[in-house]
Structures are given as C-alpha cells and as structure tokens.
Amino acid sequence: MIDLRESAQNALKACGVEDAALTGGLTVRTPLTGVELLSVRETADVDAAVTAAHAAYQQWRTVPAPVRGALVKRLGQLIDEHKDDLATLVTLEAGKIRSEALGEVQEMIDICDFAVGLSRQLYGRTMPSERPGHRLMETWHPLGVVGVISAFNFPVAVWSWNTAVALVCGDAVVWKPSEKTPLTALACSALLDRAIAEASAPADLHRVVIGGREVGEALVDSPLVPLVSATGSTRMGREVGPRVAARFGRTLLELGGNNAAVVTPSADLDLATRAIVFAAAGTAGQRCTTLRRLIVHSSVADTLVEKLVTAYRKLPIGSPLEAGTLVGPLIDAAAWGHMTDALDAARRDGGEVLVGGGRREVDGDGYYAEPAVVRMPAQTDIVRTETFAPILYVLTYETLDEAIALHNDVPQGLSSGIFTRDQQEAERFLAADGSDCGIVNVNIGTSGAEIGGAFGGEKETGGGRESGSDAWRAYMRRATNTVNASGQLLLAQDVSFL
Ligand code: UN1
C-alpha cells in the first residue's frame, strides 16, 4: 500500500519545493481517500506579490521575445524531466487516472513548445498608408502582470497555457490556484523558479498566491493586473468580469460548459460509443469539456443507448493508483451532493436513470460515483444546468434543425460534436447557423482538445480564448504606428489646417 502523503512529499521534493512552503493553515486532502495529505502556507500579502511581479515585468518587457522563448524552452524541458512527479501530484490532488494525469502534463510540454515557436511570431501587420512617404503598422507590446485563477480539475495544464504564452509575450504572472490543488501549483512554480534562475531572468516574474476568496479578490481588484485569466464556474465569472471591467482591466474567462453531441442516423455507432464514453465518463465528468448532453436521432437512439449502457456497466471505477481504472473519484463530498441532487431533479422531471448514479465504496472517504446515463423526455432546467459530475442526459430528435435548436438552447457555449457520415450534416453543424460553441467537432467527442487551437467558448462560458492559434493577442497590447518619412505634414482624410 503506497503511503499517499509520502508519495506527495517525494514528488514535491523532486520538483524543488521547499519544506517551508509545506507548513501552514491550508489543509490539502486527497480525493482518493479523503485523508489529509499536507498543509500549505497561505499568502498573507497578495499586493506585495503583484508589486514584485510588476517590477519584474518592467525589466522583462525589454528582453527580446526570442530570448524570452529560451526561458519557456527550459521550463518545458524541466516539466518533461519531472513528468512523473507532476502526474503523481495531479493524481493525488485532483484524482485523475494515470494516463489522464500524464496527458495533462503533456499539454504543458506541448504549450511550452508552442510558445517557444510563438516567441518568434508575435506578428503585427503593416497596412498601406493613404499618404505618400508614410508607413502605417502595428506593434504588439507586453501587457503587464497577468493574474491567473485556475480550477482544481486541470490544476496544471490551464496554468501552463496562460503562463507559457504570457512569458513569451513579455508579461509576468501571479497565479492563484484552486484551494483544492495548491501542491501541484507549488511544484510547477518551483520548476519555473529554477528555469528563471538559470536564465538570469527577474526572480519575481512568476509568483503563486495561495488562499481562499480574499486572495482571488485582491488579484481581481489590483490596478497592477491588466489581465485576469480566470477558469471556473459561471458564478465565479459573473463576479470577476464586472469587477475587472469596473477598473477597465481585461478578462479572459473560461467558465461553465454544457457540452452536447448530436448523433445522426448515418453515424458509426461503435466509434460514437467509444468517443461518448470517454467524453462523458472520463475524468469522472469533471472537465469543463465533459459531454453532458446527447441528442440522438430517434431511429438510432435505442441501439446507441444499449451500447452505452453495456459500456458503462463495464467501466472500471476505482482508485486511480490501480492500473486499469478508468473512472476515479469526484473531488469531494460536495461534488457528490451536486450529482445526487441533479439526479433527483432529473427524475422529478420524468427522467429515467438507465445506468449508474450510485456511490462505490473504494477507499475511506473517497467519493467514487458510478457514471450515469439518464434518458430525458425533454431538455428541462436540470439538463440546461452544468453539474460537474458524470451525468449524461439523452434526448432524441427527428430533424437536424430540431437537433441544432436543442443543442444551442442552453446558456453555455463551450464544446460540441456531431457524429455523422453525411457531409452535408457535418457542414451544417459547422456553419454559422450550426453549433454556437467555441469548439465544434465532427466524429470526435467534446473533450480532449489539442493545445494548438484556441480554447474557449461563447455565452455563459465567458468568451475567452487561450492556448493556441492567436490567443496570444489577449496577453499583449497593440500599438498602431504612423511614421512620416515624407518631410511634409500631410493630414489624413485630406484635412487642411494651418
Ligand atoms: C478544462 O476542463 O478546464 O479539452 C480544460 C480538454 C482539455 C482541457 C480541458 N484539453 O478536455
């Protein structure tokens, strides 16, 4: 029997976390058994951390971007070297199975690679000036301190998407991890501190601030934080957005998802079943991209549901430390409470729980839920609500228009998919009058996006985009430049003056 505390301590030590950080008032429990792992020191003075990071930014912004890229390259190497340690901490703190924990760390390595390339590609445009002898162009400059607020379910990847990109953009970062996952944050931060020291970059370029709501609020309200990138619930985003906007700061919000897949009559049902089970039951339903709604053509609904129920019955639920486990624990008792409440509400609305919904006794006080499939007569309020647990609601449709209308009739707009072998149907789903989400897939589930694309969604998901593509622009400020080399003063729009 592995001693969980010792395993966490070893991984933290290997990553270079000092003992002093591991004595304090914030208790960290593992969802595997509910026992206390360690306790960590909370940050007393967030403003001091922000001020220090701001001073570091003032130096860092003048370092050439490709040189900044070299720091991120080293960070990626260190993460790769410590892939096992970081994955162990992700499993212990967030409850992920080994392959998903390793996958999360792989996202960190991938985004570092991406950001290194990006460090030579922070392109501005040049535009033809309407005046002779004039040049019109734009330059992208570093922005300042980026406040990163992250959630328990992707405790390290989401930080790395923000931080790798922010660092090459010339920004500093102050990170507030979830109170549920501070250990992984300390490990990442220690690795980055090492890369910073080796690169002789400013020591305060990255700071972790640990604690509860007050810590987040101090970051959100700081005038020295021009961008707050926050991942979490829509409720949290509803508070953060207006507060940052009130001081004319920017936000990048990654909030709730209520992701659906449409399954059409031409779909490969075996492929769809595998994709659906991973998307709906993987990570115990605790991804913001988790598949929560299935909209199935009535002609294939019974067949698909039968395949799903068979697959769900065989799902290995248990300790993520055991090889073969596919579904680990929910993060805590509250999450289990939300799951049972949602199932009760679904039953009241006429839903039928076809499989799952119970709790498995696995180890101590861990909350191991059986992923559930619930057939619903209609898209009722509970189906339109994001419950962060493995519940898949099944609805049926007759026409694709009806399926798309149902699909879009929820407040959230993160990720979506269609399973079809009919090109017209696929194209319709991808079109302007198709899915209204930020991520729209064909013949693949809603979760497990690659880092190369921009990640984020519409409506109550918050509208932010992070990770790949041109998401970097949110981390910089744009200056439009007009340079007059004509030797004469020519006013635009042919204006005459003086
Ligand atoms: C999240 O759940 O907050 O697409 C992020 C995915 C992962 C990231 C999820 N690459 O499922």
Side-chain angles (χ1 to χ4, degrees):
M1 171 82 185
I2 304 171
D3 183 305
L4 302 184
R5 183 172 303 147
E6 203 179 298
S7 172
Q9 269 164 338
N10 290 343
L12 288 162
K13 204 176 171 138
C15 292
V17 176
E18 285 168 14
D19 287 345
L22 299 173
T23 44
L26 182 67
T27 303
V28 188
R29 293 182 182 282
T30 174
L32 272 51
T33 60
V35 302
E36 184 180 331
L37 275 182
L38 289 161
S39 63
V40 299
R41 198 172 53 200
E42 290 175 279
T43 305
D45 194 347
V46 176
D47 284 342
V50 172
T51 305
H54 180 73
Y57 148 73
Q58 286 178 313
Q59 288 178 45
W60 189 238
R61 65 182 169 183
T62 61
V63 173
V67 178
R68 301 194 296 244
L71 166 65
V72 174
K73 185 172 182 175
R74 182 66 186 132
L75 173 64
Q77 286 166 349
L78 288 171
I79 292 170
D80 201 7
E81 273 170 37
H82 291 278
K83 192 170 180 182
D84 271 6
D85 298 320
L86 290 169
T88 296
L89 290 168
V90 169
T91 293
L92 292 174
E93 243 185 355
K96 290 194 188 186
I97 61 169
R98 185 76 182 162
S99 87
E100 289 198 53
L102 287 167
E104 178 168 0
V105 182
Q106 187 59 45
E107 284 199 38
M108 305 172 80
I109 298 165
D110 294 343
I111 195 70
C112 286
D113 278 353
F114 180 91
V116 174
L118 185 64
S119 71
R120 290 180 186 270
Q121 299 176 80
L122 302 170
Y123 301 133
R125 294 186 169 105
T126 59
M127 307 82 170
S129 168
E130 63 195 50
R131 289 168 282 187
H134 283 60
R135 184 146 66 100
L136 187 56
M137 61 179 192
E138 61 188 14
T139 314
W140 290 87
H141 292 301
L143 188 64
V145 177
V146 178
V148 176
I149 297 175
S150 60
F152 80 85
N153 67 323
F154 268 81
V156 294
V158 172
W159 165 76
S160 71
W161 300 348
N162 284 283
T163 302
V165 171
L167 289 174
V168 300
C169 287
D171 301 328
V173 172
V174 177
W175 179 19
K176 186 216 170 286
S178 161
E179 296 107 289
K180 292 171 187 160
T181 54
L183 300 179
T184 47
L186 292 173
C188 292
S189 188
L191 293 175
L192 178 50
D193 282 349
R194 197 168 134 197
I196 287 172
E198 286 177 18
S200 303
D204 293 316
L205 212 43
H206 181 260
R207 296 287 295 261
V208 181
V209 288
I210 288 177
R213 194 189 165 88
E214 352 49 76
V215 168
E217 283 176 356
L219 201 54
V220 162
D221 292 335
S222 170
L224 289 180
V225 179
L227 172 66
V228 175
S229 175
T231 302
S233 65
T234 295
R235 205 177 48 150
M236 178 273 287
R238 228 186 271 287
E239 289 187 36
V240 168
R243 271 173 94 141
V244 177
R247 59 174 178 84
F248 297 101
R250 291 187 205 163
T251 47
L252 202 163
L253 299 175
E254 300 289 358
L255 311 174
N258 192 352
N259 317 297
V262 174
V263 183
T264 75
S266 71
D268 175 339
L269 292 186
D270 289 326
L271 178 145
T273 301
R274 290 181 56 209
I276 291 164
V277 177
F278 169 64
T283 334
Q286 299 172 110
R287 291 193 189 215
C288 52
T289 50
T290 291
L291 180 64
R292 309 204 180 278
R293 298 178 296 136
L294 207 52
I295 302 167
V296 194
H297 192 268
S298 62
S299 64
V300 290
D302 289 343
T303 316
L304 180 68
V305 162
E306 205 181 298
K307 285 177 186 290
L308 286 172
V309 169
T310 307
Y312 267 59
R313 287 221 170 94
K314 285 193 255 172
L315 273 177
I317 303 165
S319 167
L321 295 173
E322 252 157 58
T325 296
L326 293 183
V327 181
L330 293 174
I331 189 70
D332 54 19
W336 169 244
H338 294 142
M339 179 163 174
T340 51
D341 287 351
L343 289 172
D344 288 346
R347 283 192 197 95
R348 279 198 301 276
D349 288 348
E352 191 191 345
V353 180
L354 303 174
V355 65
R359 182 181 168 196
R360 292 267 178 95
E361 296 294 335
V362 174
D363 200 351
D365 225 0
Y367 286 85
Y368 292 80
E370 294 168 347
V373 177
V374 188
R375 196 140 178 186
M376 294 298 297
Q379 186 152 267
T380 60
D381 284 351
I382 192 64
V383 181
R384 299 176 79 253
T385 308
E386 179 192 46
T387 302
F388 223 57
I391 303 174
L392 179 65
Y393 300 108
V394 182
L395 302 162
T396 53
Y397 77 91
E398 299 301 331
T399 67
L400 190 58
D401 280 341
E402 190 195 335
I404 291 173
L406 268 175
H407 176 277
N408 292 344
D409 185 24
V410 293
Q412 314 82 351
L414 179 56
S415 186
S416 58
I418 189 168
F419 291 90
T420 181
R421 283 185 281 203
D422 178 328
Q423 194 185 358
Q424 283 185 4
E425 284 181 334
E427 291 293 337
R428 172 72 207 290
F429 195 66
L430 297 169
D433 58 352
S435 162
D436 63 1
C437 288
I439 298 172
V440 189
N441 299 333
V442 177
N443 291 328
I444 194 96
T446 50
S447 66
E450 299 179 18
I451 61 93
F455 184 92
E458 305 300 333
K459 302 192 290 186
E460 287 189 4
T461 301
R465 292 294 186 278
E466 38 188 20
S467 191
S469 186
D470 62 353
W472 61 270
R473 288 169 192 250
Y475 300 81
M476 301 197 84
R477 65 181 175 87
R478 178 195 329 234
T480 299
N481 315 122
T482 307
V483 181
N484 175 10
S486 73
Q488 292 166 47
L489 186 67
L490 298 166
L491 300 181
Q493 297 92 37
D494 276 336
V495 170
S496 308
F497 202 89
L498 271 184

